[in-house]
Amino acid sequence: MVEDELFQDLFRISSNRKNVEKGNILIAAPFFENNYFSRAVIYMVGNDGKGSMGVILNKLTDYRTSDLLSELKGIDFPVYFGGAVEQNKLYYLHVHSELKDAQPLGNGIYWGGDLGHLRQLLKAGEIQPGEIRFFAGYSKWGAGHLRRELDANFWMVGSMEFRQFFDTPTDKLWEKSMKGLGGKYKIWANFPENPSMN
């Protein structure tokens, strides 16, 4: 019956898009079992023929910026786990175009910038917690690797305004991002993280 086919399609995990651009988000499929990427929402900071790079937005660590970087002593911003690559380094997304060497990603969002200048702006109170997010490490895919994961339906592709990073509680970001895709993805957003516990 047609109704049965439609019902079956609601629960068939399939990626919504195969192309990813800088500034998009990757939303982990409901049952993507991976220590790092389970229910992850990743902001893409680069994607080209050489590979792809992003940071996980919704994995908060127990660390503060002052714990990890002596240059930011006395500045206590939360730090998120950005990914498994270079976890001993601090990266940041922000909305401050005046920060030296910051790279524009589109929609008023910037990646990185001069650490000395950043410290000055933070010390002067010119950058507030709702305007920057710090990450320990980042996520990286070699050439063609992310495309293969998209083909395997590990990820949905979406977009996000920078304000959502801060206005949405971390533990609700995956659910809200999935619902934001509309259609059957709204149903996926309600899937329990561990179906056997339901």
Side-chain angles (χ1 to χ4, degrees), residues 63-105:
Y63 295 102
R64 311 291 284 185
T65 49
S66 59
D67 297 327
L68 301 179
L69 210 56
S70 59
E71 290 94 330
L72 298 182
K73 186 175 177 65
I75 298 171
D76 290 318
F77 283 54
V79 176
Y80 290 76
F81 172 71
V85 182
E86 295 189 354
Q87 296 178 53
N88 61 331
K89 293 185 179 179
L90 211 57
Y91 298 88
Y92 33 97
L93 286 169
H94 55 89
V95 295
H96 285 269
S97 60
E98 75 277 16
L99 179 57
K100 292 176 185 175
D101 301 328
Q103 301 173 33
L105 298 177

Side-chain angles (χ1 to χ4, degrees), residues 107-138:
N107 296 322
I109 302 172
Y110 295 83
W111 171 249
D114 182 79
L115 181 60
H117 190 208
L118 173 65
R119 182 178 178 277
Q120 291 175 16
L121 294 173
L122 288 168
K123 288 284 189 183
E126 294 180 28
I127 297 181
Q128 299 300 313
E131 300 169 346
I132 191 167
R133 179 163 287 188
F134 291 92
F135 304 91
Y138 62 90

Side-chain angles (χ1 to χ4, degrees), residues 20-26 37 41-47 51-57 81-85 91 93 105 111 135-141 146 155:
V20 178
E21 298 174 359
K22 181 171 63 176
N24 286 158
I25 57 171
L26 296 180
F37 295 141
V41 178
I42 300 179
Y43 190 87
M44 299 303 296
V45 299
N47 188 44
S52 308
M53 176 181 176
V55 285
I56 304 172
L57 298 176
F81 172 71
V85 182
Y91 298 88
L93 286 169
L105 298 177
W111 171 249
F135 304 91
Y138 62 90
S139 301
K140 184 177 181 180
W141 295 261
L146 180 57
W155 303 103

Side-chain angles (χ1 to χ4, degrees), residues 3-18:
E3 291 85 355
D4 289 340
E5 291 175 8
L6 290 172
F7 184 78
Q8 292 279 335
D9 186 59
L10 282 175
F11 298 97
R12 185 175 295 120
I13 303 298
S14 58
S15 184
N16 63 326
R17 276 168 47 191
K18 299 300 182 185

